[in-house]
Amino acid sequence: MRAINRLDALLYASNLLSPRRTATLEVTGRHSGRRLSLPVAVTHLSGERYLVSMLGENTNWVRNVRAAHGHAVLRSGGPEPVTLHEIPADERAPVIRRYLAIAPGARPHIPVDPRAPLTEFERLAHRHPVFRVAPREDPPPSPTP
């Protein structure tokens, strides 16, 4: 799976042969300090962009984004420095529903029909972090030893 993710990350970053609404997320590893890349589906809703963790709270990318205070880079063609702002669980349901509509590979990990009422998504929203993508306004923090 790591090899497939690396290949997808390269394709999504180049914006060649990549599906719509995809990008590569680059974030600094909280332990290694190295730049880590992974493919992501970018969810658009009400004029905003979001990233959803289909695998939940304990994924490395979520932990790394939190440790980096949200500082990351999205690549879809060229690099875009961004800040990812985690949204509260009670605001996540509409984003998660939209995410399932554009990312069918996430459906086995989020067991709700994409057409279900929002109440179904509200029940599991606390398990799936959602980050709003914003342009980066301040420099990233210095790496900690």
Side-chain angles (χ1 to χ4, degrees), residues 45-78:
L45 184 67
S46 302
E48 297 285 352
R49 296 180 296 162
Y50 298 91
L51 301 181
V52 176
S53 176
M54 70 179 173
L55 298 177
E57 290 280 335
N58 294 319
T59 60
N60 278 324
W61 79 263
V62 168
R63 291 176 178 179
N64 289 334
V65 164
R66 289 172 175 162
H69 306 286
H71 289 94
V73 173
L74 276 181
R75 285 188 182 273
S76 182

Side-chain angles (χ1 to χ4, degrees), residues 4 7 10 14-15 23 33 36 38-39 44 54 58 60 62 65-66 68-70 73 78 83 108 111 129 133 135 139:
I4 291 170
L7 179 60
L10 289 171
S14 72
N15 206 22
L36 305 171
L38 68 139
H44 294 258
M54 70 179 173
N58 294 319
N60 278 324
V62 168
V65 164
R66 289 172 175 162
H69 306 286
V73 173
T83 302
V133 178

Side-chain angles (χ1 to χ4, degrees), residues 108-140:
H109 305 286
I110 304 175
V112 176
D113 186 297
R115 297 169 304 237
L118 275 181
T119 54
E120 295 295 315
F121 292 91
E122 289 167 354
R123 290 186 187 131
L124 55 79
H126 67 282
R127 291 185 277 178
H128 298 281
V130 174
F131 296 87
R132 184 177 52 80
V133 178
R136 185 176 307 156
E137 296 176 4
D138 55 341

